Amino acid sequence: GISSKISLHLVFNPGSELSELPLSSYYRFVVDTSLHFDEHSALSTDHLAATFTGLPNDILLTLGLQTSEYWVVQAKIAEHDMDNILLKTESSSSSSTDASSSSSSDDDSEGGELKVMDDKFIFAQYELQSLLVTGSCLDMTANGQPPRGLEIQLSPATSTLNAKKEATEDTILMANYGYFQLQAQPGLWHLSLKPGPSEFLYQIGSSGLQSRLISLSKFGGTREIIGVFKRPSRTAFSLSTVTPSLMEKENYKSTGVSGEKYPDDTIHVFSVASGHLYERFLKIMIATVMKTTTHPVKFWFIENFLSPKFKEVLPSLSAHYNFQFEYVSYQWPSWLFAQTEKQRTIWGYKILFLDVLFPLNVKRVIFIDADLIVRSDLHELVSLDLQGAPYAYTPFCDSREEMNGFRFWKQGFWKNHLGPRSY
């Protein structure tokens, strides 16, 4: 063959100016395949960090994590608003952001009081709070269709399978694929049917098992396919036709106990806030709710979007106004089309997951936007007769013509889709 040497001189000629930054997203990868220990033989996660340098200081940024679909990860330490990062206002010399992702729940990290590091870094630390048990539940006596309305629960495993125990997590199946999602810590768990109509009508497997043993021993979570069968003597019934009187007539006795009981007049309020500004609005909304009612109130907040600073002050707010609160969280299912904008994701949580966000013993929840002020007793809505409807909404308002440009249902797709209907 013929061999020859080729001399190649490559010249790069980039543009001297850019009208706008060509990048809108910046990524760092944090992973480790082995364990690390410090000088005291304690598990160390200090090396698990992502550092962003050279970020533009005049563009509003948001810090987000893309983790395993089986991980529930929440912010543990964050002095600044990680949803609205504008570096030029955080510090005169701010030039980088440091985000640490940790699977450890170690509580010795500076007592949770780490501030901006040397006025050069915006720091945030995240922790892996729990793993997911997900899957599908199918009615094998109905050709593998999802059993609509079936309720399941996840309880700590005990030495006696039939022992009465309080469920740690419960949920209702989605109509889509019979999908369910439950959170748990590593260990052994029993996945079973919820006491009541579900347990009365169905059994797990054709042999009549009361539960399935679930082992959470890996960081990958677990996905289960559960087949349920109607009990031979009750094939003529459906979940919608099972009543307390029917269960009593059939001498049904529950094999477990239900969760927390709430007084009948408890007002359950659900809200979601993202960013320090809307968290301040949320505090005002809470105060107005409590000042306009004498009934017990429990607030439910989506933990996915709350900042550590808000969660720090919430117990004091609860003690001052005498209300209960609880966090709920839910992972966007992998089979559901993911949203790229965070605001659209938040909208999805307001609507798509309402029936699976809360414990099943919560019978009615009132959603209130964080930036609203409540001027009347919400108990009126607790006792309102919905006439069998699952949702109740305020009517669309048409009185202010200057707002017509914001009424998206008056134009385009939604106008054609709704037609003469109001909703």
Side-chain angles (χ1 to χ4, degrees):
I2 301 175
S3 63
S4 62
K5 294 182 178 180
I6 299 176
S7 177
L8 181 64
H9 187 60
L10 185 62
V11 177
F12 290 98
N13 187 24
S16 58
E17 295 182 357
L18 290 173
S19 58
E20 61 181 22
L21 197 67
L23 296 178
S24 59
S25 300
Y26 309 86
Y27 293 89
R28 298 293 184 272
F29 190 58
V30 179
V31 70
D32 201 347
T33 57
S34 59
L35 299 177
H36 292 257
F37 300 90
D38 59 22
E39 63 272 15
H40 305 295
S41 299
L43 185 65
S44 173
T45 59
D46 293 341
H47 61 291
L48 295 177
T51 302
F52 296 80
T53 58
L55 296 177
N57 63 2
D58 57 349
I59 295 178
L60 193 64
L61 302 169
T62 296
L63 181 63
L65 273 67
Q66 295 180 1
T67 63
S68 166
E69 62 179 291
Y70 296 103
W71 288 12
V72 179
V73 179
Q74 309 288 2
K76 181 181 179 182
I77 301 172
E79 181 68 19
H80 296 79
D81 187 348
M82 307 314 292
D83 286 334
N84 301 282
I85 302 171
L86 193 59
L87 294 174
K88 69 178 181 181
T89 62
E90 301 290 0
S91 170
S92 59
S93 59
S94 292
S95 60
S96 60
T97 301
D98 181 45
S100 296
S101 303
S102 172
S103 60
S104 169
S105 57
D106 184 10
D107 292 325
D108 297 330
S109 302
E110 300 295 324
E113 297 179 352
L114 193 57
K115 308 296 182 181
V116 178
M117 299 166 52
D118 301 325
D119 289 330
K120 295 181 180 179
F121 287 83
I122 294 175
F123 180 88
Q125 187 179 71
Y126 294 80
E127 67 177 358
L128 176 60
Q129 286 193 340
S130 57
L131 302 173
L132 291 185
V133 176
T134 68
S136 295
C137 186
L138 306 175
D139 184 351
M140 307 313 295
T141 54
N143 299 319
Q145 295 297 312
R148 285 178 175 268
L150 188 75
E151 300 173 348
I152 61 175
Q153 64 183 19
L154 191 67
S155 309
T158 60
S159 56
T160 304
L161 199 62
N162 296 325
K164 287 181 179 289
K165 52 191 178 295
E166 185 172 348
T168 301
E169 290 274 335
D170 59 18
T171 190
I172 189 170
L173 298 185
M174 285 189 179
N176 305 72
Y177 313 111
Y179 178 80
F180 64 86
Q181 179 184 127
L182 296 159
Q183 298 182 28
Q185 299 295 314
L188 293 176
W189 300 83
H190 284 309
L191 185 65
S192 59
L193 301 176
K194 182 80 172 174
S198 296
E199 185 185 54
F200 168 81
L201 190 59
Y202 285 95
Q203 62 188 25
I204 296 177
S206 57
S207 57
L209 294 177
Q210 289 186 1
S211 66
R212 174 183 288 191
L213 187 64
I214 304 294
S215 174
L216 269 182
S217 58
K218 298 179 181 179
F219 282 111
T222 182
R223 175 171 173 78
E224 303 288 330
I225 305 296
I226 307 293
V228 296
F229 292 76
K230 281 188 177 178
R231 297 184 184 273
S233 61
R234 298 164 185 165
T235 55
F237 303 118
S238 65
L239 286 170
S240 61
T241 61
V242 175
T243 61
S245 58
L246 175 62
M247 291 189 289
E248 184 178 354
K249 181 181 178 181
E250 294 279 330
N251 296 318
Y252 164 73
K253 293 182 179 179
S254 168
T255 61
V257 295
S258 300
E260 182 181 354
K261 299 291 185 182
Y262 297 104
D264 291 339
D265 61 343
T266 299
I267 303 171
H268 294 275
V269 178
F270 164 52
S271 192
V272 55
S274 178
H276 287 184
L277 175 61
Y278 272 81
E279 287 175 350
R280 289 196 290 271
F281 293 154
L282 185 56
K283 295 174 190 175
I284 297 172
M285 185 272 283
I286 290 172
T288 62
V289 169
M290 299 310 300
K291 288 181 178 180
T292 52
T293 187
T294 57
H295 296 87
V297 179
K298 181 161 186 177
F299 287 93
W300 300 84
F301 305 111
I302 295 186
E303 192 175 9
N304 304 44
F305 309 113
L306 291 179
S307 72
K309 290 187 70 175
F310 180 82
K311 290 189 283 187
E312 222 175 86
V313 75
L314 193 55
S316 299
L317 203 63
S318 169
H320 180 76
Y321 286 108
N322 191 28
F323 65 83
Q324 292 181 299
F325 70 90
E326 191 169 331
Y327 301 120
V328 290
S329 59
Y330 203 79
Q331 291 290 88
W332 195 278
S334 58
W335 49 265
L336 184 61
F337 185 78
Q339 300 298 312
T340 56
E341 296 181 22
K342 187 168 186 178
Q343 190 58 48
R344 294 181 66 87
T345 301
I346 294 175
W347 291 342
Y349 277 90
K350 289 181 182 180
I351 301 172
L352 295 179
F353 309 132
L354 279 181
D355 51 347
V356 292
L357 269 178
F358 309 100
L360 296 176
N361 56 333
V362 177
K363 300 305 180 184
R364 179 174 293 189
V365 175
I366 302 169
F367 174 79
I368 303 179
D369 271 321
D371 56 354
L372 292 184
I373 292 177
V374 177
R375 302 178 64 183
S376 184
D377 192 342
L378 289 177
H379 194 263
E380 293 182 34
L381 300 179
V382 174
S383 55
L384 181 69
D385 183 8
L386 300 186
Q387 302 177 9
Y391 300 115
Y393 294 92
T394 54
F396 289 140
C397 301
D398 294 328
S399 57
R400 297 177 60 189
E401 293 184 2
E402 64 269 25
M403 300 300 293
N404 282 341
F406 297 96
R407 296 188 177 107
F408 58 86
W409 60 92
K410 295 284 189 181
Q411 54 193 328
F413 168 81
W414 284 110
K415 181 180 180 179
N416 296 328
H417 180 71
L418 291 172
R421 294 171 296 182
S422 300
Y423 297 92

